[in-house]
């Protein structure tokens, strides 16, 4: 690819199934659909951890979590591991970030030339309750999410509109100042992350009588894996939905936030065109991770199902096939390589990491033999979870619980766990060998919990962090934090 500018559009907690271009029959995302129509959509892309801080740390550094730490939402990225923005800035490129980063602090050298309207973790600490990995506490924000579901405005919807407006201003006034080398602008929205309060013009796109309940929503249909019971018992969101109509309000809120976020992406993409950058700028869209959105009675992220661990991923611009769908399995670690390639710089010398491939190469036909990993060590779990994708199979390894196995070619909705079924022992064993070629799950689990125990002690211990309360979600800049 020839060096060009790059706009990175990132959302927060966007279930990859919930875009028009990914096949959802109701969710309206016309701007991202148009981006996919003129670029390449990756059909199977994964975050490196289905929770904000680790997912974003991996996206920026191009490394898996077990290589870099930043295990959970109380262990924020602090700039100590080199990132693509460090590499670009050090090579003389202007790299700006607008919106949510969820790092430790602007006082750290996070690698950007400039951070604008940045959301970082609360008090430089984040969600301390997530450090508790035994006898899991019930999270107080669960009731809040159910209560706030519906039409209206929130601090998040206002923040996102301000992010889009600031990005448009930057493209009009700041981008023209940086002509010597390609610039990179990261625009990071908070929707469709809860609260599930959507602006009425988007909420009302989804009449409640047209909304089906989520799959396997009935208690009798829900899988009974112990990892899922742990999570649902700590994040007891579903207990506060008192009727099917209430569930549908939550769905309409989430769908409305997807459409609202899409409109804000449209604002940025139109500004790229109106400012004359369309021919000299590539665009990448993704989300930090997904959301279960009620499937199997689960809300939020933190599981290895496609709804949470998979992400939407679209790239468009010079050198990228138009109107294409790439079936090669991709990972957020690949974005690191692509971002450097897009600007025309090589990976830093001596950078030894897991195999990662430029999205441009994958989009134009590269088919590497690889195993893609996502891992989880955070809130609502008592045991490390490790997911690999290889070919048609998804394998989930739990250090303390039985594994799961899904054949995504025949069962894309993950309704049939094959791990304990006759005839699949060999597949499970082969998948476990592939996982262990990437990492030692028991050693990684011990290392994560050791770090979490140290942070827990540093912050006063179990009782102190539970008394501090459940963060729920980080407030935008200038908004007071409310614990539950």
């Amino acid at each position: 690819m020839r060096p060009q500018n790059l706009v990175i559009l990132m959302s927060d907690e966007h279930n990859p199934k919930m875009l028009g271009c990914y096949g959802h029959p109701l969710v309206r995302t016309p701007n991202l659909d148009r981006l996919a129509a003129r670029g390449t959509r990756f059909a199977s892309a994964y975050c490196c951890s289905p929770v904000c801080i680790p997912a974003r740390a991996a996206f920026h550094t191009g490394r898996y979590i077990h290589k870099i730490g930043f295990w959970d939402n109380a262990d924020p990225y602090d700039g100590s591991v080199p990132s693509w923005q460090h590499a670009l800035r050090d090579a003389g490129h202007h790299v700006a970030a607008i919106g949510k980063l969820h790092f430790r602090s602007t006082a750290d050298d996070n690698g950007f030339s400039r951070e604008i309207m940045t959301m970082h973790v609360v008090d430089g600490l984040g969600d301390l309750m997530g450090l508790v990995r035994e006898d899991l506490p019930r999270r107080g924000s669960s009731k809040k999410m159910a209560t706030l579901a519906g039409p209206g405005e929130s601090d998040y919807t206002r923040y996102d509109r301000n992010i889009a407006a600031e990005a448009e201003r930057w493209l009009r006034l700041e981008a023209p100042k940086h002509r010597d080398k390609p610039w990179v602008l990261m625009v990071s929205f908070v929707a469709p992350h809860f609260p599930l309060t959507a602006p009425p013009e988007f909420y009302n796109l989804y009449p409640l009588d047209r909304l089906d309940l989520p799959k396997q929503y009935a208690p009798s249909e829900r899988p009974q894996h112990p990892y899922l019971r742990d999570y649902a018992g700590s994040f007891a969101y579903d207990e506060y939905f008192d009727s099917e109509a209430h569930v549908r309000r939550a769905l309409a809120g989430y769908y409305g936030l997807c459409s609202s976020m899409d409109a804000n992406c449209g604002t940025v993409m139109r500004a790229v065109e109106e400012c004359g950058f369309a021919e000299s700028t590539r665009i990448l869209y993704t989300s930090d991770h997904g959301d279960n959105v009620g499937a199997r009675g689960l809300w939020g992220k933190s599981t290895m199902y496609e709804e949470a661990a998979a992400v939407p991923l679209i790239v468009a611009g010079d050198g990228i096939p138009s109107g294409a769908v790439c079936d090669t399995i991709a990972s957020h670690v690949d974005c690191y390589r692509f971002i450097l390639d897009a600007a025309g710089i090589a990976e830093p010398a001596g950078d030894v990491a897991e195999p990662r491939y430029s999205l441009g190469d994958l989009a134009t036909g590269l088919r590497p033999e690889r195993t893609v990993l996502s891992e989880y060590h955070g809130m609502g779990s008592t045991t490390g979870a490790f997911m690999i994708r290889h070919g048609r199979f998804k394998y989930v390894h739990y250090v303390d619980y039985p594994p799961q196995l899904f054949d995504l070619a025949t069962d894309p909705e993950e309704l049939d766990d094959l791990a304990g079924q006759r005839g699949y022992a060999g597949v499970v064993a082969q998948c476990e060998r592939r996982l262990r070629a990437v990492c030692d799950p028991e050693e990684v689990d011990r290392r994560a919990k050791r770090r979490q125990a140290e942070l827990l002690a540093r912050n006063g211990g179990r009782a102190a962090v539970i008394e501090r309360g459940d963060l729920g979600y980080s407030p935008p800049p200038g908004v007071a934090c409310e614990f539950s």
Side-chain angles (χ1 to χ4, degrees):
M1 295 189 298
R2 60 175 176 165
Q4 287 196 329
N5 306 320
L6 176 65
V7 171
I8 301 168
L9 300 170
M10 178 173 276
S11 60
D12 195 317
E13 210 153 313
H14 192 184
N15 181 322
K17 298 175 184 287
M18 297 193 179
L19 297 90
C21 59
Y22 276 83
H24 199 281
L26 293 179
V27 176
R28 301 185 191 181
T29 51
N31 296 290
L32 293 173
D33 295 350
R34 282 192 288 271
L35 184 68
R38 69 179 185 86
T40 294
R41 174 175 66 83
F42 289 81
S44 297
Y46 293 90
C47 67
C48 296
S49 184
V51 70
C52 292
I53 282 175
R56 290 167 183 271
F59 175 84
H60 285 274
T61 63
R63 296 175 183 270
Y64 288 139
I65 299 305
H66 66 270
K67 298 281 189 69
I68 60 174
F70 312 114
W71 300 99
D72 57 72
N73 271 7
D75 199 0
Y77 177 71
D78 57 5
S80 59
V81 177
S83 64
W84 53 257
Q85 62 264 26
H86 285 100
L88 288 166
R89 187 195 62 188
D90 293 348
H93 297 263
H94 189 83
V95 191
I98 304 173
K100 179 175 181 176
L101 290 176
H102 228 218
F103 297 168
R104 186 173 69 175
S105 169
T106 53
D108 296 318
D109 178 9
N110 296 318
F112 289 100
S113 307
R114 188 180 176 198
E115 296 180 16
I116 304 167
M117 296 176 55
T118 312
M119 176 195 288
H120 287 308
V121 301
V122 172
D123 300 329
L125 300 173
D127 181 17
L128 296 179
M129 195 181 290
L131 297 171
V132 179
R133 301 289 304 281
E134 297 178 346
D135 188 18
L136 299 174
R138 285 175 66 88
R139 310 285 296 215
S141 65
S142 302
K143 183 177 181 179
K144 181 190 297 185
M145 193 188 84
T147 302
L148 294 176
E153 296 287 350
S154 71
D155 292 329
Y156 270 18
T157 57
R158 288 184 285 269
Y159 183 44
D160 270 358
R161 279 196 293 271
N162 289 337
I163 290 168
E166 184 60 28
E168 182 175 9
R169 190 204 68 81
W170 190 93
L171 288 162
R172 294 185 184 281
L173 301 180
E174 294 298 321
K177 300 176 183 178
H178 307 287
R179 298 184 181 276
D180 54 333
K181 291 188 175 184
W183 45 257
V184 175
L185 174 65
M186 181 170 182
V187 184
S188 186
F189 298 110
V190 289
H193 192 290
F194 53 83
L196 300 181
T197 308
E201 65 268 32
F202 298 108
Y203 180 91
N204 292 332
L205 294 172
Y206 304 102
L208 302 190
D209 60 1
R210 294 186 59 198
L211 305 184
D212 294 330
L213 291 178
K215 68 183 177 187
Q216 294 186 311
Y217 183 76
S220 61
E221 298 174 339
R222 298 176 187 180
Q224 296 301 308
H225 194 279
Y227 180 90
L228 304 180
R229 290 200 298 269
D230 286 349
Y231 176 72
S234 183
F235 287 85
Y237 295 130
D238 199 63
E239 293 182 15
Y240 296 99
F241 291 114
D242 53 17
S243 65
E244 291 187 357
H246 198 169
V247 174
R248 291 186 171 91
R249 287 201 301 274
L251 292 175
Y254 186 87
Y255 296 168
L257 289 174
C258 291
S259 295
S260 174
M261 179 273 298
D262 176 84
N264 287 319
C265 288
T267 296
V268 179
M269 291 189 283
R270 281 192 300 274
V272 169
E273 296 172 358
E274 291 170 3
C275 293
F277 294 123
E279 299 303 317
S280 61
T281 303
R282 298 184 183 93
I283 297 177
L284 181 157
Y285 171 73
T286 193
S287 193
D288 56 352
H289 50 74
D291 189 297
N292 289 288
V293 198
R296 308 171 188 87
L298 303 170
W299 302 82
K301 46 270 189 181
S302 306
T303 75
M304 291 302 176
Y305 288 111
E306 293 290 283
E307 288 82 3
V311 290
L313 182 59
I314 303 168
V315 291
D318 184 73
I320 305 298
S322 178
V325 177
C326 181
D327 292 323
T328 303
I329 300 167
S331 166
H332 267 169
V333 300
D334 300 326
C335 295
Y336 177 99
R337 182 80 172 268
F338 172 74
I339 292 166
L340 297 188
D341 282 355
I345 72 170
E347 294 192 37
D351 188 358
V352 179
E354 41 280 332
R356 54 196 179 202
Y357 305 90
S358 174
L359 298 176
D361 293 336
L362 298 179
T364 53
L366 180 66
R367 299 292 182 266
E369 168 69 20
R370 71 188 308 200
T371 299
V372 165
L373 172 73
S374 186
E375 57 190 294
Y376 188 78
H377 309 281
M379 54 195 192
S381 71
T382 61
T383 180
F386 300 81
M387 181 278 289
I388 65 163
R389 267 299 308 272
H390 177 75
R392 64 193 294 163
F393 288 105
K394 170 193 272 191
Y395 169 74
V396 188
H397 182 94
Y398 302 99
V399 172
D400 296 321
Y401 291 145
Q404 293 174 297
L405 178 71
F406 300 98
D407 182 346
L408 296 186
T410 60
D411 179 28
E413 295 300 321
E414 300 169 286
L415 303 177
D416 188 14
D417 182 358
L418 304 173
Q421 295 187 24
R422 178 180 298 179
Y424 288 94
V427 177
V428 169
Q430 181 186 51
C431 288
E432 183 174 352
R433 285 194 297 271
R434 286 191 171 275
L435 169 63
R436 292 186 181 279
V438 177
C439 69
D440 177 342
E442 289 78 20
E443 184 276 331
V444 172
D445 184 56
R446 288 192 298 270
R447 186 153 41 95
K449 289 177 177 175
R450 185 165 59 245
R451 166 70 171 171
Q452 289 162 338
E454 292 169 357
L455 289 175
L456 187 61
R458 189 183 305 172
N459 287 281
R462 176 189 175 92
V465 302
I466 292 176
E467 183 179 358
R468 180 181 185 241
D470 183 5
L471 185 55
Y473 48 87
S474 298
V479 176
C481 181
E482 296 182 4
F483 290 92
S484 301

